[in-house]
mmCIF file of all heavy atoms in Angstrom:
data_model
loop_
_atom_site.group_PDB
_atom_site.id
_atom_site.type_symbol
_atom_site.label_atom_id
_atom_site.label_comp_id
_atom_site.label_asym_id
_atom_site.label_seq_id
_atom_site.Cartn_x
_atom_site.Cartn_y
_atom_site.Cartn_z
ATOM 1 N N ALA M 683 98.260 122.109 86.496
ATOM 2 C CA ALA M 683 98.331 123.392 85.797
ATOM 3 C C ALA M 683 99.723 123.574 85.204
ATOM 4 O O ALA M 683 100.713 123.093 85.753
ATOM 5 C CB ALA M 683 98.047 124.514 86.787
ATOM 6 N N PHE M 684 99.758 124.288 84.079
ATOM 7 C CA PHE M 684 101.062 124.548 83.459
ATOM 8 C C PHE M 684 101.707 125.751 84.138
ATOM 9 O O PHE M 684 101.711 126.851 83.616
ATOM 10 C CB PHE M 684 100.913 124.768 81.954
ATOM 11 C CG PHE M 684 100.459 123.532 81.250
ATOM 12 C CD1 PHE M 684 99.128 123.336 80.926
ATOM 13 C CD2 PHE M 684 101.369 122.531 80.951
ATOM 14 C CE1 PHE M 684 98.713 122.175 80.303
ATOM 15 C CE2 PHE M 684 100.957 121.361 80.325
ATOM 16 C CZ PHE M 684 99.621 121.188 79.999
ATOM 17 N N ALA M 685 102.215 125.534 85.304
ATOM 18 C CA ALA M 685 102.881 126.613 86.029
ATOM 19 C C ALA M 685 104.191 126.941 85.304
ATOM 20 O O ALA M 685 104.684 126.150 84.515
ATOM 21 C CB ALA M 685 103.156 126.187 87.458
ATOM 22 N N LYS M 686 104.752 128.119 85.615
ATOM 23 C CA LYS M 686 105.911 128.624 84.862
ATOM 24 C C LYS M 686 107.049 127.616 84.734
ATOM 25 O O LYS M 686 107.564 127.370 83.673
ATOM 26 C CB LYS M 686 106.432 129.894 85.530
ATOM 27 C CG LYS M 686 105.679 131.110 85.074
ATOM 28 C CD LYS M 686 106.533 132.369 85.218
ATOM 29 C CE LYS M 686 105.703 133.582 84.846
ATOM 30 N NZ LYS M 686 104.545 133.763 85.760
ATOM 31 N N ASP M 687 107.453 127.036 85.872
ATOM 32 C CA ASP M 687 108.588 126.122 85.806
ATOM 33 C C ASP M 687 108.150 124.674 85.609
ATOM 34 O O ASP M 687 108.956 123.758 85.699
ATOM 35 C CB ASP M 687 109.429 126.250 87.091
ATOM 36 C CG ASP M 687 108.572 126.051 88.328
ATOM 37 O OD1 ASP M 687 107.374 125.737 88.170
ATOM 38 O OD2 ASP M 687 109.095 126.198 89.446
ATOM 39 N N GLY M 688 106.870 124.471 85.351
ATOM 40 C CA GLY M 688 106.402 123.106 85.097
ATOM 41 C C GLY M 688 106.014 122.363 86.350
ATOM 42 O O GLY M 688 105.560 121.229 86.296
ATOM 43 N N ILE M 689 106.211 122.985 87.505
ATOM 44 C CA ILE M 689 105.832 122.304 88.735
ATOM 45 C C ILE M 689 104.531 122.911 89.245
ATOM 46 O O ILE M 689 104.490 124.071 89.645
ATOM 47 C CB ILE M 689 106.928 122.424 89.801
ATOM 48 C CG1 ILE M 689 108.215 121.780 89.268
ATOM 49 C CG2 ILE M 689 106.494 121.771 91.094
ATOM 50 C CD1 ILE M 689 109.417 122.004 90.147
ATOM 51 N N SER M 690 103.465 122.134 89.216
ATOM 52 C CA SER M 690 102.172 122.631 89.659
ATOM 53 C C SER M 690 102.063 122.406 91.158
ATOM 54 O O SER M 690 102.378 121.318 91.639
ATOM 55 C CB SER M 690 101.043 121.886 88.962
ATOM 56 O OG SER M 690 101.503 121.283 87.779
ATOM 57 N N PRO M 691 101.609 123.431 91.882
ATOM 58 C CA PRO M 691 101.446 123.245 93.326
ATOM 59 C C PRO M 691 100.565 122.031 93.599
ATOM 60 O O PRO M 691 99.565 121.821 92.923
ATOM 61 C CB PRO M 691 100.765 124.534 93.772
ATOM 62 C CG PRO M 691 101.140 125.529 92.735
ATOM 63 C CD PRO M 691 101.241 124.775 91.446
ATOM 64 N N ARG M 692 100.971 121.247 94.582
ATOM 65 C CA ARG M 692 100.207 120.025 94.840
ATOM 66 C C ARG M 692 99.196 120.258 95.955
ATOM 67 O O ARG M 692 99.381 121.121 96.816
ATOM 68 C CB ARG M 692 101.149 118.880 95.191
ATOM 69 C CG ARG M 692 101.995 119.104 96.401
ATOM 70 C CD ARG M 692 103.159 118.137 96.466
ATOM 71 N NE ARG M 692 104.065 118.506 97.523
ATOM 72 C CZ ARG M 692 103.914 118.151 98.790
ATOM 73 N NH1 ARG M 692 102.894 117.408 99.149
ATOM 74 N NH2 ARG M 692 104.764 118.546 99.711
ATOM 75 N N SER M 693 98.136 119.479 95.887
ATOM 76 C CA SER M 693 97.095 119.547 96.910
ATOM 77 C C SER M 693 96.935 118.135 97.455
ATOM 78 O O SER M 693 97.613 117.215 97.008
ATOM 79 C CB SER M 693 95.816 120.049 96.265
ATOM 80 O OG SER M 693 94.716 119.775 97.087
ATOM 81 N N ARG M 694 96.065 117.969 98.400
ATOM 82 C CA ARG M 694 95.812 116.620 98.921
ATOM 83 C C ARG M 694 94.374 116.533 99.399
ATOM 84 O O ARG M 694 93.789 117.561 99.771
ATOM 85 C CB ARG M 694 96.772 116.303 100.053
ATOM 86 C CG ARG M 694 96.605 117.229 101.241
ATOM 87 C CD ARG M 694 97.428 116.772 102.418
ATOM 88 N NE ARG M 694 97.394 117.706 103.524
ATOM 89 C CZ ARG M 694 96.426 117.749 104.457
ATOM 90 N NH1 ARG M 694 95.393 116.922 104.391
ATOM 91 N NH2 ARG M 694 96.481 118.624 105.434
ATOM 92 N N PRO M 695 93.810 115.335 99.374
ATOM 93 C CA PRO M 695 92.432 115.185 99.825
ATOM 94 C C PRO M 695 92.251 115.778 101.214
ATOM 95 O O PRO M 695 93.139 115.672 102.065
ATOM 96 C CB PRO M 695 92.234 113.673 99.858
ATOM 97 C CG PRO M 695 93.178 113.164 98.832
ATOM 98 C CD PRO M 695 94.376 114.067 98.900
ATOM 99 N N GLY M 696 91.123 116.426 101.406
ATOM 100 C CA GLY M 696 90.850 117.058 102.686
ATOM 101 C C GLY M 696 91.054 118.563 102.614
ATOM 102 O O GLY M 696 90.521 119.295 103.445
ATOM 103 N N VAL M 697 91.816 119.035 101.619
ATOM 104 C CA VAL M 697 92.052 120.470 101.482
ATOM 105 C C VAL M 697 90.876 121.090 100.735
ATOM 106 O O VAL M 697 90.541 120.664 99.624
ATOM 107 C CB VAL M 697 93.367 120.747 100.723
ATOM 108 C CG1 VAL M 697 93.506 122.237 100.417
ATOM 109 C CG2 VAL M 697 94.552 120.254 101.534
ATOM 110 N N THR M 698 90.255 122.081 101.343
ATOM 111 C CA THR M 698 89.100 122.712 100.715
ATOM 112 C C THR M 698 89.533 123.445 99.451
ATOM 113 O O THR M 698 90.477 124.225 99.473
ATOM 114 C CB THR M 698 88.457 123.715 101.693
ATOM 115 O OG1 THR M 698 88.252 123.035 102.929
ATOM 116 C CG2 THR M 698 87.137 124.230 101.155
ATOM 117 N N GLY M 699 88.846 123.164 98.366
ATOM 118 C CA GLY M 699 89.141 123.847 97.112
ATOM 119 C C GLY M 699 90.290 123.242 96.322
ATOM 120 O O GLY M 699 90.603 123.707 95.235
ATOM 121 N N GLY M 700 90.908 122.214 96.846
ATOM 122 C CA GLY M 700 92.058 121.632 96.144
ATOM 123 C C GLY M 700 91.703 120.357 95.410
ATOM 124 O O GLY M 700 92.565 119.560 95.038
ATOM 125 N N ARG M 701 90.419 120.176 95.183
ATOM 126 C CA ARG M 701 89.921 118.941 94.596
ATOM 127 C C ARG M 701 90.522 118.679 93.214
ATOM 128 O O ARG M 701 90.706 119.600 92.424
ATOM 129 C CB ARG M 701 88.412 119.050 94.467
ATOM 130 C CG ARG M 701 87.694 117.788 94.745
ATOM 131 C CD ARG M 701 86.311 118.037 95.288
ATOM 132 N NE ARG M 701 85.532 118.922 94.445
ATOM 133 C CZ ARG M 701 84.959 120.028 94.893
ATOM 134 N NH1 ARG M 701 85.092 120.371 96.162
ATOM 135 N NH2 ARG M 701 84.252 120.786 94.095
ATOM 136 N N HIS M 702 90.815 117.433 92.950
ATOM 137 C CA HIS M 702 91.353 117.085 91.632
ATOM 138 C C HIS M 702 91.276 115.580 91.444
ATOM 139 O O HIS M 702 90.852 114.852 92.354
ATOM 140 C CB HIS M 702 92.810 117.543 91.523
ATOM 141 C CG HIS M 702 93.715 116.896 92.533
ATOM 142 N ND1 HIS M 702 93.950 117.442 93.772
ATOM 143 C CD2 HIS M 702 94.431 115.740 92.493
ATOM 144 C CE1 HIS M 702 94.782 116.655 94.444
ATOM 145 N NE2 HIS M 702 95.067 115.618 93.707
ATOM 146 N N TRP M 703 91.685 115.153 90.270
ATOM 147 C CA TRP M 703 91.756 113.735 89.978
ATOM 148 C C TRP M 703 93.192 113.398 89.630
ATOM 149 O O TRP M 703 93.944 114.264 89.162
ATOM 150 C CB TRP M 703 90.835 113.397 88.792
ATOM 151 C CG TRP M 703 89.400 113.579 89.136
ATOM 152 C CD1 TRP M 703 88.542 112.622 89.585
ATOM 153 C CD2 TRP M 703 88.641 114.800 89.081
ATOM 154 N NE1 TRP M 703 87.303 113.166 89.831
ATOM 155 C CE2 TRP M 703 87.325 114.494 89.525
ATOM 156 C CE3 TRP M 703 88.929 116.108 88.718
ATOM 157 C CZ2 TRP M 703 86.310 115.436 89.606
ATOM 158 C CZ3 TRP M 703 87.920 117.062 88.794
ATOM 159 C CH2 TRP M 703 86.621 116.728 89.238
ATOM 160 N N ILE M 704 93.577 112.190 89.878
ATOM 161 C CA ILE M 704 94.856 111.737 89.356
ATOM 162 C C ILE M 704 94.585 110.430 88.620
ATOM 163 O O ILE M 704 93.661 109.686 88.965
ATOM 164 C CB ILE M 704 95.934 111.537 90.447
ATOM 165 C CG1 ILE M 704 95.614 110.319 91.312
ATOM 166 C CG2 ILE M 704 96.125 112.774 91.326
ATOM 167 C CD1 ILE M 704 96.679 109.287 91.218
ATOM 168 N N THR M 705 95.355 110.182 87.590
ATOM 169 C CA THR M 705 95.151 108.953 86.829
ATOM 170 C C THR M 705 96.455 108.464 86.235
ATOM 171 O O THR M 705 97.339 109.261 85.901
ATOM 172 C CB THR M 705 94.099 109.133 85.708
ATOM 173 O OG1 THR M 705 94.088 107.967 84.891
ATOM 174 C CG2 THR M 705 94.397 110.344 84.825
ATOM 175 N N SER M 706 96.561 107.142 86.126
ATOM 176 C CA SER M 706 97.746 106.560 85.507
ATOM 177 C C SER M 706 97.700 106.718 83.990
ATOM 178 O O SER M 706 98.676 106.434 83.303
ATOM 179 C CB SER M 706 97.866 105.078 85.891
ATOM 180 O OG SER M 706 96.688 104.385 85.533
ATOM 181 N N ASP M 707 96.554 107.143 83.460
ATOM 182 C CA ASP M 707 96.469 107.482 82.038
ATOM 183 C C ASP M 707 97.080 108.872 81.819
ATOM 184 O O ASP M 707 97.197 109.658 82.760
ATOM 185 C CB ASP M 707 95.000 107.567 81.606
ATOM 186 C CG ASP M 707 94.342 106.213 81.432
ATOM 187 O OD1 ASP M 707 93.935 105.600 82.442
ATOM 188 O OD2 ASP M 707 94.209 105.778 80.286
ATOM 189 N N GLU M 708 97.394 109.180 80.582
ATOM 190 C CA GLU M 708 97.765 110.556 80.249
ATOM 191 C C GLU M 708 96.562 111.424 80.578
ATOM 192 O O GLU M 708 95.409 110.981 80.477
ATOM 193 C CB GLU M 708 98.146 110.668 78.769
ATOM 194 C CG GLU M 708 98.725 112.022 78.383
ATOM 195 C CD GLU M 708 99.952 112.423 79.209
ATOM 196 O OE1 GLU M 708 99.769 112.960 80.321
ATOM 197 O OE2 GLU M 708 101.081 112.183 78.749
ATOM 198 N N HIS M 709 96.827 112.663 81.009
ATOM 199 C CA HIS M 709 95.738 113.464 81.534
ATOM 200 C C HIS M 709 95.888 114.940 81.203
ATOM 201 O O HIS M 709 96.938 115.397 80.756
ATOM 202 C CB HIS M 709 95.654 113.272 83.051
ATOM 203 C CG HIS M 709 97.009 113.300 83.706
ATOM 204 N ND1 HIS M 709 97.678 112.155 84.058
ATOM 205 C CD2 HIS M 709 97.835 114.318 84.023
ATOM 206 C CE1 HIS M 709 98.857 112.479 84.580
ATOM 207 N NE2 HIS M 709 98.972 113.789 84.561
ATOM 208 N N ASP M 710 94.820 115.674 81.483
ATOM 209 C CA ASP M 710 94.802 117.118 81.264
ATOM 210 C C ASP M 710 95.053 117.824 82.609
ATOM 211 O O ASP M 710 95.263 117.155 83.622
ATOM 212 C CB ASP M 710 93.471 117.516 80.606
ATOM 213 C CG ASP M 710 92.276 117.078 81.424
ATOM 214 O OD1 ASP M 710 92.409 116.952 82.662
ATOM 215 O OD2 ASP M 710 91.201 116.848 80.845
ATOM 216 N N PRO M 711 95.024 119.140 82.658
ATOM 217 C CA PRO M 711 95.326 119.824 83.914
ATOM 218 C C PRO M 711 94.418 119.444 85.080
ATOM 219 O O PRO M 711 94.825 119.504 86.241
ATOM 220 C CB PRO M 711 95.171 121.312 83.559
ATOM 221 C CG PRO M 711 95.517 121.368 82.111
ATOM 222 C CD PRO M 711 94.944 120.114 81.534
ATOM 223 N N ASP M 712 93.167 119.032 84.804
ATOM 224 C CA ASP M 712 92.281 118.580 85.873
ATOM 225 C C ASP M 712 92.709 117.243 86.448
ATOM 226 O O ASP M 712 92.324 116.887 87.549
ATOM 227 C CB ASP M 712 90.873 118.316 85.311
ATOM 228 C CG ASP M 712 90.161 119.587 84.959
ATOM 229 O OD1 ASP M 712 90.051 120.453 85.833
ATOM 230 O OD2 ASP M 712 89.716 119.703 83.800
ATOM 231 N N GLY M 713 93.403 116.478 85.612
ATOM 232 C CA GLY M 713 93.697 115.105 85.996
ATOM 233 C C GLY M 713 92.713 114.127 85.389
ATOM 234 O O GLY M 713 92.598 112.992 85.843
ATOM 235 N N HIS M 714 92.008 114.562 84.348
ATOM 236 C CA HIS M 714 91.139 113.641 83.620
ATOM 237 C C HIS M 714 91.890 113.080 82.422
ATOM 238 O O HIS M 714 92.788 113.727 81.871
ATOM 239 C CB HIS M 714 89.882 114.364 83.137
ATOM 240 C CG HIS M 714 88.905 114.657 84.245
ATOM 241 N ND1 HIS M 714 88.541 113.719 85.183
ATOM 242 C CD2 HIS M 714 88.214 115.786 84.545
ATOM 243 C CE1 HIS M 714 87.660 114.255 86.028
ATOM 244 N NE2 HIS M 714 87.456 115.509 85.675
ATOM 245 N N ILE M 715 91.459 111.868 82.009
ATOM 246 C CA ILE M 715 92.132 111.188 80.900
ATOM 247 C C ILE M 715 92.058 112.021 79.620
ATOM 248 O O ILE M 715 91.024 112.585 79.303
ATOM 249 C CB ILE M 715 91.445 109.827 80.629
ATOM 250 C CG1 ILE M 715 91.484 108.972 81.897
ATOM 251 C CG2 ILE M 715 92.090 109.116 79.446
ATOM 252 C CD1 ILE M 715 90.646 107.708 81.802
ATOM 253 N N THR M 716 93.160 112.056 78.895
ATOM 254 C CA THR M 716 93.110 112.671 77.574
ATOM 255 C C THR M 716 94.002 111.880 76.639
ATOM 256 O O THR M 716 94.990 111.273 77.061
ATOM 257 C CB THR M 716 93.585 114.139 77.599
ATOM 258 O OG1 THR M 716 93.413 114.692 76.290
ATOM 259 C CG2 THR M 716 95.052 114.262 77.963
ATOM 260 N N GLU M 717 93.624 111.871 75.378
ATOM 261 C CA GLU M 717 94.498 111.297 74.362
ATOM 262 C C GLU M 717 94.772 112.349 73.298
ATOM 263 O O GLU M 717 95.193 112.033 72.188
ATOM 264 C CB GLU M 717 93.889 110.016 73.793
ATOM 265 C CG GLU M 717 93.843 108.926 74.864
ATOM 266 C CD GLU M 717 93.265 107.592 74.408
ATOM 267 O OE1 GLU M 717 93.229 107.352 73.187
ATOM 268 O OE2 GLU M 717 92.859 106.803 75.268
ATOM 269 N N GLY M 718 94.499 113.601 73.669
ATOM 270 C CA GLY M 718 94.701 114.711 72.729
ATOM 271 C C GLY M 718 96.183 114.917 72.442
ATOM 272 O O GLY M 718 97.030 114.768 73.321
#
Side-chain angles (χ1 to χ4, degrees):
Chain M
F684 294 98
K686 275 205 184 63
D687 54 4
I689 299 172
S690 339
R692 60 196 171 85
S693 163
R694 62 172 174 84
V697 172
T698 309
R701 218 151 53 235
H702 61 270
W703 293 266
I704 71 118
T705 172
S706 56
D707 284 80
E708 188 56 276
H709 44 260
D710 56 27
D712 288 305
H714 286 313
I715 302 171
T716 184
E717 293 181 20

